[in-house]
Amino acid sequence: MATILEVQNLKKYFQTPGGELHAVDDVSFRMEEGTTLGVVGESGCGKSTLGRTVLHLHESTGGKIFYKGEDVTHVDKKKLRELREDMQIIFQDPYSSLNPRMSVSEIIKEPLKRKGGRSNEELEREVERLMDLVGLAQRFATSYPHELDGGRRQRIGIARALSLNPKFIVCDEPVSALDVSIQAQILNLMKDLQDQFGLTYIFITHDLSVVKHMSDAISVMYLGQMVEKAPAKELFYHPVHPYTKALLSAIPIPKVDVERNRILLKGEITSPVNPKPGCRFAARCEFASEECRNPQALEEVKEGHFVSCCRCKEFV
Ligand SMILES: Nc1ncnc2c1ncn2[C@@H]1O[C@H](COP(=O)(O)OP(=O)(O)OP(=O)(O)O)[C@@H](O)[C@H]1O
Ligand SMILES: [Mg+2]
C-alpha cells in the first residue's frame, strides 16, 4: 500500500489573550491509501484543529505535511485549489454546513459548477449519479435541507464532499448528531464508498464505539498531543496509556473477557495555553510521579503500538 499522508511534528497554535494555545502540539503520523485513522479524545483536545490543519483550512504553526509524497506544508494558490479538490471534509452537523436557501440538487451541484467545464445537462446527470451513490432518492432533488431528517442531510453532505472525486476525507464527527439507528446506516454507507473509491479517512469522534468498526488504526489525543496509537483491535483490547484505559472504561463492551471497571478521572484538565513540558495528563493520572515532568515522546511498545507515557513498559 502507498502512503498517502504523512504528518511530521505538526503544530497549530492560536494566539489568545492568555497566551499561546497549543491546540495541536507536535503530532506525527502516517496513513496508507484506503485506510481509516480514527482520532478520539475529549472535547477541546484538538481533533478538529488537527483535521483542519491537515486540510489547509488552518495554516500550520510548525511541522510538515506530505500528501502523496509531496511536501505540501506551504503551497501556492494553484496547488491549494488542487488539494482542496482531492481532500474534503464532512462535518458533524450537515444542517449548519449546508446553505438552507439552496435545494439538495443545487447544494450538490455547487462545487462542480465552481470547477466549471460541464454543461447544465452534464451537471444534472452528475447530481443524479451522486444522489444514487449516497442513497438519496431523486425525489429529494428539489427539497431543502430543513425538509429532510438528519440522516438524509448527512447524505447530502457526503454527496457534496464526493462531487469532485476526492481521495482523502476528514470526517469530523459525521454521525455524532444522529440517532443510533441512523448512525449505523451512515457508517455503512461511508464504508461502502471507501471500498468503492479507495478513499482514505481521518475519522474524528469523541465516541470510541463509533470508530471501533470503522478504523484500521486509532489514535487517542489529549490536550493537543497523541498519547497512544495502535491498530484498532489492539487499542481496544490492549490499551496501555492510563488515559486510553479511562476512555475505554466509559463504554460498555459486551462479551469481552477482560474485566473493565469504570475509571473515573479526577483532577483538573491542564490548560492548553502555554503548557509546561512533561506529560499533560499527569494532573489527572493515578500513576503520576516526579518523572512525568520530563518531556515524553511516543514509544513503540509493540509492533505498530505507540504510547506516550514514561511508565508505558510497565503497563503493557
Ligand atoms: N480559531 C480558534 N481560535 C482560538 N482557539 C481555538 C480555535 N479553534 C480551536 N481553538 C482551541 O483549540 C483547542 C482544540 O479545539 P478543537 O476544536 O480542535 O477540539 P476538538 O477536539 O475538536 O473538540 P470537540 O470534541 O469539542 O469538537 C481548544 O482549546 C479550542 O478552544
Ligand atoms: Mg471538534
Side-chain angles (χ1 to χ4, degrees), residues 173-202:
E173 307 260 11
V175 299
S176 305
L178 305 176
D179 292 345
V180 173
S181 59
I182 297 174
Q183 282 190 1
Q185 293 173 16
I186 297 293
L187 291 174
N188 284 336
L189 170 66
M190 294 178 65
K191 192 88 201 77
D192 287 347
L193 293 168
Q194 175 169 49
D195 293 343
Q196 206 172 334
F197 300 109
L199 301 172
T200 307
Y201 290 149
I202 287 185

Side-chain angles (χ1 to χ4, degrees), residues 75-84:
V75 290
D76 60 16
K77 273 199 177 137
K78 180 172 169 282
K79 186 74 202 173
L80 188 61
R81 217 176 304 128
E82 237 176 86
L83 287 176
R84 290 261 163 86

Side-chain angles (χ1 to χ4, degrees), residues 44 46-49 92 172-173 204:
K47 304 179 296 293
S48 297
T49 305
Q92 168 173 0
D172 194 352
E173 307 260 11
I204 294 170

